Amino acid sequence: MGPANDRLADRARSIFDQLGYTISGDGHRFRADREWKSVRVMATEDVPETPESGDLRCFVTYTDTAQDLRRKLLEDKPPYDWAIVSVEGEAAATD
């Protein structure tokens, strides 16, 4: 799995908050609810293992990771609707 740094998780929360969703949960995985929609959101810096279940899922990642993540999801064909939100920036550098 590809966990996110706090900055990316905060950006993901901000995106859904600005869209009028109610956020619940902590960390890089949370739920965003609005009207009839309940979206499982994962902020991730890299390409995670594809979750096996869910109805609606959204992956929030950096632009340089989004294409690889899209390719993996298309390949895996998970049994749920999914979306990817890419944000500008880059994963934290490691020493």
Side-chain angles (χ1 to χ4, degrees):
M1 174 158 121
N5 63 35
D6 290 341
R7 183 173 169 208
L8 181 57
D10 289 344
R11 289 176 75 183
R13 288 177 188 286
S14 176
I15 289 167
F16 279 88
D17 183 55
Q18 289 175 10
L19 291 171
Y21 284 81
T22 301
I23 308 299
S24 58
D26 294 325
H28 69 279
R29 290 181 179 208
F30 59 91
R31 196 175 80 214
D33 295 298
R34 181 176 152 198
E35 298 173 3
W36 59 270
K37 295 177 280 283
S38 183
V39 182
R40 294 183 190 185
V41 181
M42 178 191 294
T44 182
E45 292 182 8
D46 55 14
V47 178
E49 290 298 316
T50 301
E52 294 180 13
S53 64
D55 290 324
L56 300 172
R57 289 197 176 261
C58 184
F59 301 87
V60 179
T61 192
Y62 292 113
T63 303
D64 58 350
T65 305
Q67 189 62 32
D68 290 337
L69 177 55
R70 179 180 181 275
R71 195 175 355 253
K72 180 165 180 25
L73 289 166
L74 288 172
E75 209 173 85
D76 291 350
K77 298 178 183 162
Y80 47 80
D81 291 329
W82 55 267
I84 298 171
V85 174
S86 65
V87 297
E88 291 295 319
E90 53 188 69
T94 57
D95 294 329

